[in-house]
Amino acid sequence: MANEVIKIALLGAGTIGGSVIKFLRENHEIISKRAEADIQIKNILVLPQEIEKLHAQGLPATENYEEILNDPEIKIVVELMGGINPAKDFALQAMAHGKNVVTANKDVVAQFGSELFEAAEKNHVDYLFEASVGGAIPIIMPLKRSLTANKITEILGIVNGTTNYMLTKMSEDGADYETVLKEAQAKGYAERNPAADVEGKDAARKIAILASIAFNSRVKFEDVSIEGITKITPDDICHAEKLGYVVKLLAIGKESELGIDVRVHPVLLNKNHPLASVNGVLNAIFVRGVPIDEAMFYGPGAGAPTASAVISDIIEITRGILTNSSGRFGCTCYEQKKICPVEETVSAYYLRLLVADKPGVLGQIATTFGNTGVSVKSVMQAAVELENHAEIVVVTHKVKHKNILQAQDALEKLSVVDKILSNIRVE
Amino acid sequence: MANEVIKIALLGAGTIGGSVIKFLRENHEIISKRAEADIQIKNILVLPQEIEKLHAQGLPATENYEEILNDPEIKIVVELMGGINPAKDFALQAMAHGKNVVTANKDVVAQFGSELFEAAEKNHVDYLFEASVGGAIPIIMPLKRSLTANKITEILGIVNGTTNYMLTKMSEDGADYETVLKEAQAKGYAERNPAADVEGKDAARKIAILASIAFNSRVKFEDVSIEGITKITPDDICHAEKLGYVVKLLAIGKESELGIDVRVHPVLLNKNHPLASVNGVLNAIFVRGVPIDEAMFYGPGAGAPTASAVISDIIEITRGILTNSSGRFGCTCYEQKKICPVEETVSAYYLRLLVADKPGVLGQIATTFGNTGVSVKSVMQAAVELENHAEIVVVTHKVKHKNILQAQDALEKLSVVDKILSNIRVE
């Protein structure tokens, strides 16, 4: 067994923290060999009421962060508290005390990445965050280390398990949004307040992190154009199916001439796309680049498996300490690229319209698309229950978002158009 | 731009070599920033008749390896020659001269891994081989660095593009093996002598490499039980489809109580398995472990995109040189585990039998399975063109390979069984 001992502290002992504790124990032998060190948990920061529970399990625990900060034996602080405060300050304080930091905290990385990487560099320590995106999926290190030869042009992610589970269920069962949300909440896949997930904010934080690495330029949460899945209906999923698509909430980063195009929204995704068969709570990140062409990384996006990413970061830092190469890889945002305004981004679109069922309607609609510079690829008419009405499903060629907004405005003014029921990008 | 200059030499300028040259040029700016160094090709070893061609492109070239070995400026030798000789000796010589080595050579790594890693350690250099398995797909570094927290229990790979292309075409077009082979050869996806691919040897070398890393114990090519795709028929693919499976050539490594179970053979793979939708020349590697549960890595398995893996290894070594941490990660075969004999390996099986079409046949067959300890999961009878005959398709529960061999022997002795048409494992 390894001679060297590396002592660490955990901040938080919830789902991921508990899993880290469990697997550092269960896989102790293989981890020790791979790390070439015996990794020991020296202390765990928890709420006062949790201390006794941890002690009962033979685990160290404290409610006082100073105890960890001032313990010179602790080389790695593993922040698994979540939220901005006090997680961010705790990470900065740890680094100021010469300690390496591992985090699973997407909020902190997405919002304060620059500041944290700066602190890591200044203090010659590592700040690793593999678990912050895609849960257990190795994606941060592969992007930073294995795809370095590539000019990455596109990164597409299914990075929110809650919404992917919901869309999968809507697709399989034909159930509506509200029904599926309740089911997801009952199963613990969605939180009681599901806003961060279903409105796309969680995915937006993750794509901000991924895009920053892929394009070597800092992308912040505020840069992401966001739309959630709350308006998706079983009808849309059904029409998509007929057209050869599945509906997915994608986090998208692309590099265009106008800057980094970064957004989160539902899309109609071609059934043959590798991401199309990623179902349920699973996550996957698809990367397009030159010369790799395409690559995809797939796995569990949340929960206990995330310990895989956290512990691997701990091992990586341990190897750095033992070989005197801490801080070997820091911030990789060498560039300062513009963000492409969402109006200028380019997509194909799927629009579903409720129209009057009478002759000439299709002609008026087609003319309106033409007048606003939108080229139509296919039109499908569907019967509806509402008397004297019909549904028209239009798929456009690639156009700028601003053109679609113009087309939508003009369509809404037509007397034959009752309502624009859906407007979803096609990827 | 970076100040440091790192000079490298390539051995070979074929498909991958040419692509490495191309993308080191085209992506020079981003590579320099990510490597924090200007990576320059100082020399290229080629055949005498190729020298002029390279010079005409403004590239350095030599037919004399000594020139590269004795050039103290060259820090990294990139071996892209393929084959065992002289590639293996050239790599050893480079390391003996204190040079780091990058290789795409699965043959050398699978057969002489121990010797090469020993040389790397002795000479304090890096020996990296990301491109040797899965072409462009990042899998070696993720296994060695990102999944280190896991007890890996299973690794399944579609690691041969030729056979995956052929099986995909057979499935899509209903064409037979010979037809599809000719088509693959015409498209350049299969070699004129396709033996290494279709007989599973190429995949066997790759799973030997992957299993060695996953289970931390050296697995050699000779340890792999191998069966190719030459006996797969459109009928099998069609029956598989009806049963909810696709046919794939899988490279399999599992850890069992009896040792490492490592094999290459066609399987009936459940349609919902993440590997089932990996089609054409694409490759993917699926990993099962604790705590990650499951992960998959997907991308192009051969050709020009492989430059992504080769150049990323060059950048990784460059970062090691610049931070004085060369040799940070070497051989990870800490253990000496047994290889599980193939007779003891456990699978479910699909058997297709040509039988006499008369009453009582099914009973005799079922009894024979029972007598040899094989539990049957499902039986399907199909009509055949041959008069007075029928086909019986049996899917078993999980049994030891030796039991299936016994069952097969006993079935062949039954007068009602004309022939065992197929015997394919179900994964």
Side-chain angles (χ1 to χ4, degrees):
Chain A
M1 189 57 70
N3 295 320
E4 299 270 359
V5 173
I6 296 289
K7 297 194 175 173
I8 70 171
L10 306 188
L11 315 186
T15 304
I16 301 177
S19 183
V20 168
I21 294 166
K22 180 175 183 226
F23 292 105
L24 275 175
R25 273 184 180 175
E26 281 188 17
N27 291 354
H28 185 256
E29 200 187 321
I30 51 171
I31 289 171
S32 298
K33 283 186 178 147
R34 291 173 184 165
E36 297 182 25
D38 179 8
I39 296 168
Q40 295 176 2
I41 299 176
K42 176 87 188 282
N43 215 339
I44 303 173
L45 182 71
V46 288
L47 296 172
Q49 60 267 32
E50 295 172 314
I51 289 183
E52 213 166 308
K53 201 182 96 193
L54 267 72
H55 282 164
Q57 294 170 52
L59 289 165
T62 181
E63 57 181 296
N64 178 9
Y65 188 41
E66 295 287 324
E67 224 179 84
I68 290 169
L69 282 180
N70 297 322
D71 185 339
E73 280 195 341
I74 293 171
K75 303 294 181 201
I76 308 173
V77 168
V78 184
E79 185 272 296
L80 304 167
M81 317 170 77
I84 301 287
N85 291 312
K88 176 201 153 200
D89 288 339
F90 281 9
L92 287 171
Q93 287 165 24
M95 292 193 277
H97 282 75
K99 300 182 194 308
N100 301 276
V101 170
V102 172
T103 184
N105 194 320
K106 62 183 176 305
D107 305 78
V108 168
V109 180
Q111 206 172 330
F112 301 101
S114 304
E115 198 178 336
L116 287 150
F117 294 119
E118 227 168 77
E121 201 181 336
K122 194 177 140 200
N123 296 292
H124 309 286
V125 296
D126 281 318
Y127 177 71
L128 298 186
F129 51 99
E130 184 61 80
S132 67
V133 180
I137 305 172
I139 181 60
I140 303 296
M141 191 191 276
L143 269 182
K144 283 205 169 195
R145 315 281 287 267
S146 300
L147 299 178
T148 41
N150 291 276
K151 174 160 179 52
I152 294 175
T153 53
E154 181 182 304
I155 186 157
L156 304 178
I158 294 175
V159 288
N160 181 274
T162 305
T163 48
N164 200 47
Y165 171 83
M166 289 175 65
L167 291 172
T168 302
K169 287 301 279 182
M170 285 175 77
S171 167
E172 285 171 357
D173 304 350
D176 67 11
Y177 173 83
E178 290 300 337
T179 309
V180 167
L181 175 59
K182 272 179 201 140
E183 193 187 318
Q185 285 170 323
K187 288 201 174 179
Y189 292 157
E191 295 183 40
R192 207 170 305 171
N193 175 358
D197 292 318
V198 299
E199 290 172 8
K201 288 177 205 158
D202 172 82
R205 292 194 174 90
K206 291 169 179 167
I207 193 67
I209 297 171
L210 293 177
S212 298
I213 302 170
F215 307 121
N216 295 116
S217 177
R218 179 69 50 201
V219 175
K220 298 188 297 290
F221 172 68
E222 305 85 70
D223 297 327
V224 187
S225 155
I226 312 175
E227 193 189 312
I229 64 161
T230 53
K231 290 185 215 153
I232 299 294
T233 68
D235 280 348
D236 291 321
I237 290 174
C238 182
H239 285 308
E241 168 95 4
K242 280 181 210 151
L243 292 162
Y245 299 102
V246 293
V247 178
K248 293 286 181 193
L249 181 72
L250 283 198
I252 298 174
K254 295 188 184 188
E255 188 160 4
S256 80
E257 285 163 20
L258 295 167
I260 301 173
D261 163 14
V262 59
R263 34 196 167 98
V264 168
H265 51 67
V267 300
L268 267 62
L269 188 66
N270 192 299
K271 274 182 193 168
N272 296 323
H273 194 286
L275 288 172
S277 47
V278 175
N279 288 321
V281 292
L282 286 153
N283 280 200
I285 295 103
F286 177 87
V287 180
R288 197 173 282 288
V290 179
I292 200 172
D293 195 15
E294 54 176 315
M296 189 175 76
F297 304 84
Y298 161 99
T306 306
S308 168
V310 174
I311 298 174
S312 296
D313 274 353
I314 296 170
I315 296 172
E316 184 66 15
I317 290 177
T318 297
R319 299 289 306 135
I321 295 170
L322 298 181
T323 57
N324 287 314
S325 52
S326 297
R328 181 169 155 181
F329 276 80
C331 181
T332 48
C333 292
Y334 316 107
E335 312 269 357
Q336 285 196 301
K337 295 177 184 170
K338 277 187 207 158
I339 300 296
C340 178
V342 69
E343 298 76 29
E344 301 295 330
T345 63
V346 172
S347 281
Y349 287 80
Y350 152 101
L351 285 103
R352 190 159 60 92
L353 314 173
L354 184 65
V355 300
D357 187 13
K358 60 183 178 189
V361 171
L362 207 57
Q364 283 188 54
I365 289 170
T367 306
T368 308
F369 274 113
N371 289 343
T372 49
V374 175
S375 166
V376 170
K377 190 183 165 193
S378 76
V379 180
M380 187 169 84
Q381 185 154 350
V384 287
E385 284 180 16
L386 194 61
E387 214 178 334
N388 298 326
H389 282 73
E391 255 185 36
I392 288 183
V393 174
V394 175
V395 177
T396 74
H397 284 287
K398 282 192 177 176
V399 292
K400 289 203 168 177
H401 189 63
K402 63 182 176 194
N403 291 96
I404 277 293
L405 295 179
Q406 280 169 19
Q408 212 168 275
D409 274 353
L411 287 167
E412 274 171 345
K413 284 179 190 136
L414 293 181
S415 64
V416 295
V417 173
D418 264 39
K419 203 179 170 188
I420 296 174
L421 299 166
S422 320
N423 176 352
I424 309 175
R425 288 176 182 84
V426 179
E427 189 62 42
Chain B
M1 188 58 68
N3 295 319
E4 298 271 358
V5 173
I6 296 289
K7 296 195 176 174
I8 70 171
L10 305 188
L11 314 186
T15 304
I16 301 177
S19 183
V20 168
I21 294 166
K22 180 175 183 225
F23 291 106
L24 275 175
R25 273 185 181 174
E26 280 188 16
N27 291 353
H28 185 258
E29 200 187 322
I30 52 171
I31 289 172
S32 298
K33 282 185 178 148
R34 290 172 184 166
E36 297 183 26
D38 180 7
I39 295 169
Q40 294 176 0
I41 299 176
K42 175 86 187 284
N43 215 339
I44 304 174
L45 182 71
V46 289
L47 295 172
Q49 60 269 31
E50 295 172 314
I51 289 183
E52 214 165 306
K53 201 181 96 194
L54 267 72
H55 282 163
Q57 294 170 51
L59 290 165
T62 181
E63 57 181 296
N64 179 10
Y65 188 42
E66 294 289 322
E67 224 179 85
I68 290 169
L69 281 180
N70 296 322
D71 184 338
E73 280 194 342
I74 292 171
K75 302 295 181 200
I76 309 173
V77 169
V78 184
E79 187 272 295
L80 304 168
M81 317 170 76
I84 300 288
N85 291 312
K88 177 201 152 200
D89 288 338
F90 281 9
L92 287 171
Q93 287 166 23
M95 291 193 278
H97 282 75
K99 300 183 194 308
N100 302 276
V101 171
V102 172
T103 185
N105 195 319
K106 63 182 175 305
D107 305 78
V108 169
V109 180
Q111 206 171 331
F112 300 101
S114 305
E115 200 178 333
L116 287 150
F117 295 118
E118 228 168 75
E121 199 180 337
K122 195 177 138 199
N123 296 292
H124 310 286
V125 295
D126 281 318
Y127 178 71
L128 298 187
F129 51 100
E130 183 61 79
S132 67
V133 180
I137 305 171
I139 180 62
I140 304 296
M141 191 192 274
L143 269 182
K144 282 206 168 195
R145 318 281 289 266
S146 300
L147 298 178
T148 42
N150 291 275
K151 176 160 178 51
I152 294 174
T153 54
E154 180 182 304
I155 184 157
L156 304 178
I158 293 176
V159 288
N160 180 272
T162 305
T163 48
N164 200 48
Y165 171 83
M166 290 175 63
L167 292 170
T168 302
K169 287 300 281 183
M170 286 175 75
S171 168
E172 285 172 356
D173 304 350
D176 66 12
Y177 173 83
E178 292 299 338
T179 309
V180 166
L181 175 58
K182 275 180 200 138
E183 193 187 318
Q185 285 169 323
K187 288 201 174 179
Y189 293 156
E191 295 184 40
R192 207 171 303 171
N193 177 356
D197 292 317
V198 299
E199 288 173 8
K201 287 176 206 159
D202 171 83
R205 292 195 175 90
K206 291 169 179 168
I207 193 67
I209 296 171
L210 293 177
S212 298
I213 302 170
F215 307 121
N216 295 115
S217 176
R218 179 69 49 201
V219 175
K220 296 188 299 291
F221 172 67
E222 307 85 70
D223 297 328
V224 186
S225 156
I226 311 175
E227 193 188 312
I229 64 159
T230 54
K231 290 185 216 154
I232 299 295
T233 67
D235 280 348
D236 291 322
I237 291 174
C238 181
H239 285 306
E241 168 96 5
K242 279 179 209 150
L243 292 161
Y245 299 101
V246 293
V247 178
K248 293 286 181 194
L249 181 72
L250 283 198
I252 299 175
K254 295 188 185 188
E255 187 158 6
S256 80
E257 285 163 20
L258 296 166
I260 300 173
D261 164 13
V262 60
R263 35 196 166 98
V264 169
H265 51 67
V267 300
L268 267 63
L269 188 66
N270 192 299
K271 274 183 194 169
N272 296 323
H273 193 287
L275 287 173
S277 47
V278 176
N279 288 322
V281 292
L282 285 153
N283 280 199
I285 295 104
F286 177 87
V287 180
R288 197 173 281 287
V290 179
I292 200 170
D293 195 14
E294 54 176 314
M296 188 175 77
F297 304 84
Y298 161 100
T306 305
S308 168
V310 174
I311 298 174
S312 295
D313 274 353
I314 296 171
I315 296 172
E316 184 67 15
I317 291 178
T318 297
R319 298 289 306 134
I321 295 170
L322 298 181
T323 57
N324 287 313
S325 53
S326 296
R328 182 169 155 179
F329 275 81
C331 181
T332 48
C333 292
Y334 317 107
E335 311 269 358
Q336 284 196 303
K337 295 177 184 170
K338 276 188 209 158
I339 300 296
C340 178
V342 68
E343 298 75 31
E344 301 295 330
T345 61
V346 172
S347 283
Y349 287 79
Y350 152 100
L351 284 104
R352 190 159 61 91
L353 314 174
L354 183 67
V355 300
D357 187 13
K358 59 183 181 188
V361 172
L362 207 57
Q364 285 188 54
I365 289 171
T367 306
T368 308
F369 275 113
N371 290 343
T372 49
V374 175
S375 166
V376 170
K377 190 183 165 193
S378 76
V379 180
M380 187 170 83
Q381 186 155 346
V384 286
E385 284 181 15
L386 194 62
E387 214 179 333
N388 299 324
H389 282 74
E391 256 183 36
I392 288 183
V393 174
V394 175
V395 177
T396 75
H397 284 287
K398 282 191 178 178
V399 292
K400 288 203 168 177
H401 189 63
K402 64 182 176 193
N403 291 97
I404 276 295
L405 294 179
Q406 281 168 19
Q408 212 168 277
D409 274 352
L411 287 167
E412 274 171 346
K413 284 180 189 135
L414 292 181
S415 64
V416 294
V417 173
D418 264 37
K419 203 180 170 188
I420 296 175
L421 298 167
S422 322
N423 176 352
I424 309 175
R425 289 176 181 83
V426 180
E427 188 63 43

